[in-house]
């Protein structure tokens, strides 16, 4: 497509995580001269940085993995039903080596700016070291949860102990034994971290602003021969996964939520039926009702029942009450855990309910809340991410007429067409942008569909003599109306819902539910229909 030169490429891919690695492989297969730029020193993306104790995926390993290569899925050996961070990191190394991807990846290369040259129909990509590269297409595989939201508590810099951040955990690990440790944050990360830290630290104090809804789950090593048997049936497993709305047909944090919707309504259940649900199903039983996701009243009833189920596990009534959420279930991403509530029965664990008085400051010796001071040796911040848009808004992206992507998303909202492209930004493909299924599905299944669609699109343009593709504003508007209409009947739009799903966790971020909730198969059908019709909603030039 472009003349070979050390600084000119057909496509530049930003990021060498799950999406970027597959993008490189796919584009290479299509004969597209591609370079990947990666800020880190190795492949892995978010799985490279989130090395905190307890980090693991909450989707089964055999489904949270690439399906595009039977050779890879047959050769790689998963040791546990749900993979821990080191194994996922090792898997991505294996894939990079197997497909000989590293020769087209520049590590330690952070993209700081991208400008679309309208006359040339190309992107100028600038790196932190001042290098300029040119590409016909940019594929932003920069991740939906790759930018940690570092907190700014007053006095943070005065703390004389160790401050650790789950989103960039020290590679060499950190010995917490004999330490008084404080953890701020009880989302997916905190819920995974807390039971592990409790076993290692002398004392753990959990600073909790919003209690989590979290479902206990057994993660176990595969039995002898079990993985081989699964691999023998991989074709059927992948076929079922492909047809499932969340891209994971086996048990996962998402499929649990999905299965709940098919249950009878809570509002029609007698008190005896409700009690039986928590006797038999524990916290899971409290939430497994068909109306909980759609009816805020039913949701509140479920929250109350959930509190009763928590009180059956957590011995101290005050702690149990503090662990009972006050926000609607479903607003935040579903969480599964290994021994979370039992952790609060340990003698060396204290829960500080920040609803009774927030953090005031970090002091040289610990954390001061309105309720008192806690002396600590280590503070762990598990405070989340500037999700979905954060990675791209930190790059100075300018499209047609010098339109800034960060300004557009912050003033209008995180609008896209198909969750792939943005009007005004020709030849820029965003993997799992707002408006795509990513956030509420198996990320790997969703990204494979995206990469394949993007690859086919670039090949179509090349083969049909087009040089540019750009989303049309009307099509973008209709797509956002469609994605918004899908969530309108759910509790996700309740004003009390605040999470990274809708940007509510980032001060000042424009709020909009950023997922596509009709499921991956329906999304794939729509994307294919658009491509088959010659890319309707896009202008080709
Ligand atoms: O981030 P979060 P996360 N003072 O935003 C609290 C994926 N993931 O890193 O809810 C006090 O969910 C905040 O409180 P609140 C997964 O998609 C997957 O845990 O805003 N507290 C919340 O408790 C997940 O959804 C896996 O009131 C403050 C926490 O910090 C996503 O990553 C594992 C605070 C942040 O929770 C993000 O999860 C891990 C403050 N100033 C992550 N600021 C698996 O695959 C924030 N908080 C299993």
């Amino acid at each position: 497509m472009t003349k070979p030169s050390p600084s000119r490429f057909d496509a530049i891919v930003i990021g060498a995580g799950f999406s970027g690695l597959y993008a490189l492989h796919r584009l290479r297969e299509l004969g597209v001269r591609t370079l990947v730029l990666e800020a880190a020193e190795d492949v892995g993306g978010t799985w490279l940085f989130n090395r905190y104790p307890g980090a693991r995926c909450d989707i089964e390993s055999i489904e949270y993995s690439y399906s595009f290569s039977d050779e890879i899925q047959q050769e790689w050996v998963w040791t546990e039903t749900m993979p821990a961070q080191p194994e996922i990191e090792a898997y991505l190394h294996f894939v990079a080596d197997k497909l000989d991807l590293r020769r087209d990846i520049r590590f330690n290369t952070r993209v700081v700016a991208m400008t679309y040259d309208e006359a040339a129909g190309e992107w100028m990509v600038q790196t932190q070291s001042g290098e300029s590269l040119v590409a016909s297409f940019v594929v932003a595989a920069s991740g939906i949860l790759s930018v940690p939201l570092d907190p700014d508590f007053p006095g943070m810099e005065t703390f004389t102990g160790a401050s650790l951040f789950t989103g960039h955990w020290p590679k060499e690990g950190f010995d917490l034994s004999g330490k008084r440790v404080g953890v701020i944050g009880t989302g997916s990360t905190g819920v995974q971290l807390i039971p592990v830290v409790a076993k290692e630290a002398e004392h753990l104090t959990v600073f909790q602003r919003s209690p989590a809804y979290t479902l206990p789950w057994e993660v176990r090593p595969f039995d002898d021969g079990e993985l081989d048997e699964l691999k023998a049936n991989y074709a059927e497993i992948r076929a079922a996964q492909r047809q499932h709305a969340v891209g994971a047909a086996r048990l996962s944090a998402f499929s649990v939520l999905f299965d709940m919707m098919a249950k009878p309504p809570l509002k029609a259940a007698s008190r005896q039926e409700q009690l039986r649900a928590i006797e038999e199903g524990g916290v899971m039983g409290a939430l497994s009702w068909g109306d909980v996701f759609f009816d805020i009243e039913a949701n509140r009833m479920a929250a109350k029942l959930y509190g009763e189920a928590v009180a059956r596990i957590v011995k101290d009534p005050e702690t149990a009450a503090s662990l009972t959420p006050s926000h609607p279930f479903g607003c935040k991403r579903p969480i599964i855990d290994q021994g979370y509530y039992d952790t609060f029965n340990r003698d060396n664990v204290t829960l500080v309910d920040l609803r009774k008085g927030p953090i005031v400051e970090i002091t040289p010796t610990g954390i001061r809340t309105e309720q008192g001071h806690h002396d600590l040796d280590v503070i762990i911040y598990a405070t989340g991410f500037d999700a979905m848009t954060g990675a791209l808004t930190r790059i100075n992206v300018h499209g047609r007429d010098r339109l800034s992507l960060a300004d557009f998303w912050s003033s209008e909202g995180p609008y896209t067409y198909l969750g792939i492209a943005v009007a005004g930004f020709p030849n820029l493909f965003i993997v799992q942008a707002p408006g795509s299924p990513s956030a509420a599905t198996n990320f790997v299944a969703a990204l494979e569909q995206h990469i394949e669609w993007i690859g086919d699109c670039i090949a179509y343009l090349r083969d049909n003599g087009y040089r540019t593709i750009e989303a049309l504003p009307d099509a973008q508007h209709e797509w956002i109306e469609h994605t918004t209409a899908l969530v309108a009947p759910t509790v996700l739009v309740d004003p009390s819902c605040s999470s990274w799903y809708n940007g509510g966790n980032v001060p000042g971020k424009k709020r909009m539910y950023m997922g596509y909730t009709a499921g991956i198969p329906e999304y794939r059908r729509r994307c294919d229909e658009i491509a088959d019709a010659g890319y309707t909603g896009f202008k080709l030039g």
Side-chain angles (χ1 to χ4, degrees):
M1 292 158 94
T2 52
K3 277 204 197 116
S5 124
S7 58
R8 286 190 101 80
F9 299 87
D10 294 335
I12 285 180
V13 174
I14 305 174
F18 260 105
S19 305
L21 293 180
Y22 185 35
L24 172 58
H25 174 65
R26 184 74 178 165
L27 292 173
R28 258 191 202 165
E29 278 186 332
L30 294 166
V32 178
R33 194 163 164 265
T34 304
L35 176 72
V36 178
L37 302 176
E38 168 56 61
E41 79 283 3
D42 214 328
V43 301
T46 200
W47 289 108
L48 189 67
F49 297 109
N50 286 271
R51 291 185 166 119
Y52 59 87
R56 77 168 61 241
C57 183
D58 54 11
I59 296 169
E60 289 198 18
S61 45
I62 55 160
E63 293 193 322
Y64 191 80
S65 48
Y66 294 121
S67 72
F68 68 82
S69 160
D70 194 45
E71 206 179 329
I72 287 175
Q73 67 187 13
Q74 293 297 338
E75 268 185 43
W76 177 256
V77 179
W78 295 109
T79 63
E80 293 179 291
T81 50
M82 288 186 180
Q85 178 275 331
E87 197 157 280
I88 301 175
E89 194 185 330
Y91 168 75
L92 291 172
H93 280 241
F94 167 78
V95 173
D97 293 340
K98 176 98 191 149
L99 302 175
D100 188 21
L101 297 177
R102 290 175 202 276
R103 67 183 154 91
D104 287 323
I105 305 175
R106 275 198 212 162
F107 294 106
N108 302 306
T109 306
R110 181 174 290 282
V111 174
V112 291
M114 277 164 48
T115 307
Y116 184 68
D117 178 342
E118 210 166 326
E122 290 173 331
W123 281 96
M124 308 290 144
V125 177
Q126 268 177 321
T127 70
Q128 198 163 34
S129 65
E131 194 181 1
S132 280
L133 302 159
V134 179
S136 307
F137 299 96
V138 171
V139 179
S142 34
I144 65 169
L145 291 158
S146 53
V147 178
L149 194 59
D150 289 338
D152 59 350
F153 295 105
M156 269 177 78
E157 68 295 342
T158 67
F159 184 56
T160 51
S163 299
L164 300 175
F165 300 84
T166 52
H168 30 94
W169 194 262
K171 191 176 178 179
E172 61 285 1
F174 194 94
D175 184 7
L176 296 169
S177 54
K179 302 275 196 303
R180 296 163 303 171
V181 180
V183 171
I184 304 176
T186 50
S188 296
T189 301
V191 165
Q192 287 189 329
L193 175 90
I194 284 162
V196 183
V197 171
K199 287 183 193 137
E200 197 183 328
E202 181 187 301
H203 191 90
L204 168 64
T205 309
V206 176
F207 296 85
Q208 170 202 264
R209 190 165 67 181
S210 302
Y213 288 97
T214 169
L215 307 171
W217 210 270
E218 186 206 20
V219 173
R220 58 175 179 83
F222 280 118
D223 294 333
D224 282 350
E226 187 182 356
L227 183 64
D228 292 337
E229 206 171 304
L230 289 166
K231 283 181 176 179
N233 294 318
Y234 235 140
E236 292 86 57
I237 291 170
R238 293 301 192 189
Q241 196 183 339
R242 209 176 148 80
Q243 281 161 23
H244 198 287
V246 299
R250 301 168 68 83
L251 291 173
S252 72
F254 295 117
S255 53
V256 165
L257 192 66
F258 188 79
D259 293 345
M260 284 172 176
M261 291 183 211
K263 300 272 163 63
L266 175 55
K267 275 170 129 178
S270 66
R271 178 67 182 153
Q272 282 78 4
E273 285 168 322
Q274 295 178 18
L275 285 176
R276 198 177 323 124
I278 56 171
E279 262 151 36
E280 290 171 5
V283 286
M284 184 101 79
L287 303 171
S288 297
W289 306 95
D291 47 355
V292 163
F293 202 55
F294 300 98
D295 180 336
I296 194 71
E297 255 183 63
N299 201 300
R300 291 202 181 105
M301 286 167 68
K304 205 162 159 281
L305 201 54
Y306 186 89
E308 291 180 45
V310 171
R312 288 169 182 234
I313 311 170
V314 177
K315 294 192 182 106
D316 173 47
E318 199 185 329
T319 306
S322 286
L323 285 165
T324 303
S326 35
H327 63 274
F329 170 66
C331 289
K332 297 177 194 274
R333 185 185 178 281
I335 305 179
I336 60 182
D337 68 85
Q338 281 83 54
Y340 183 67
Y341 290 120
D342 275 333
T343 300
F344 293 93
N345 289 327
R346 294 176 66 103
D347 292 338
N348 71 333
V349 176
T350 307
L351 179 68
V352 178
D353 185 349
L354 298 174
R355 290 176 298 188
K356 295 178 182 166
I359 293 174
V360 178
E361 61 172 345
I362 310 292
T363 69
T365 53
I367 296 179
R368 186 184 314 285
T369 75
E370 278 183 2
Q371 306 162 63
H373 188 271
H374 299 264
D375 291 335
L376 300 166
D377 304 310
V378 179
I379 300 176
I380 302 177
Y381 296 91
T383 42
F385 298 86
D386 183 355
M388 305 296 294
T389 55
L392 273 180
T393 54
R394 276 160 182 77
I395 297 174
N396 217 348
V397 182
H398 284 98
R400 187 186 293 290
D401 301 326
R402 297 281 305 157
L403 177 65
S404 151
L405 184 60
D407 288 351
F408 174 67
W409 276 349
S410 70
S411 60
E412 301 296 317
Y415 295 169
T416 69
Y417 179 40
L418 285 184
I420 290 182
V422 184
F425 298 84
N427 292 11
L428 170 62
F429 296 98
I430 306 171
V431 185
Q432 317 251 36
S436 72
S438 60
T441 62
N442 175 357
F443 182 83
V444 182
L447 80 84
E448 283 192 333
Q449 182 275 341
H450 254 204
I451 297 296
E452 284 154 21
W453 192 92
I454 291 166
D456 290 349
C457 178
I458 291 176
Y460 174 90
L461 298 172
R462 175 193 62 193
D463 298 345
N464 290 278
Y466 294 111
R467 295 189 59 212
T468 60
I469 182 165
E470 182 179 354
L472 293 168
D474 283 354
Q476 179 164 287
H477 185 72
E478 277 170 31
W479 183 253
I480 295 303
E481 277 190 344
H482 170 56
T483 58
T484 308
L486 286 172
V487 288
T490 73
V491 296
L492 288 169
V493 293
D494 191 82
S496 62
C497 278
S498 172
S499 74
W500 67 262
Y501 273 173
N502 62 12
N505 67 326
V506 180
K509 192 162 171 174
K510 194 103 177 170
R511 279 205 190 197
M512 187 187 96
Y513 181 79
M514 288 186 272
Y516 177 79
T517 52
I520 300 176
E522 170 59 12
Y523 177 75
R524 180 185 293 113
R525 189 194 65 72
R526 283 175 178 265
C527 288
D528 290 349
E529 192 175 81
I530 284 164
D532 291 347
Y535 295 94
T536 41
F538 289 96
K539 183 178 163 200
L540 311 188

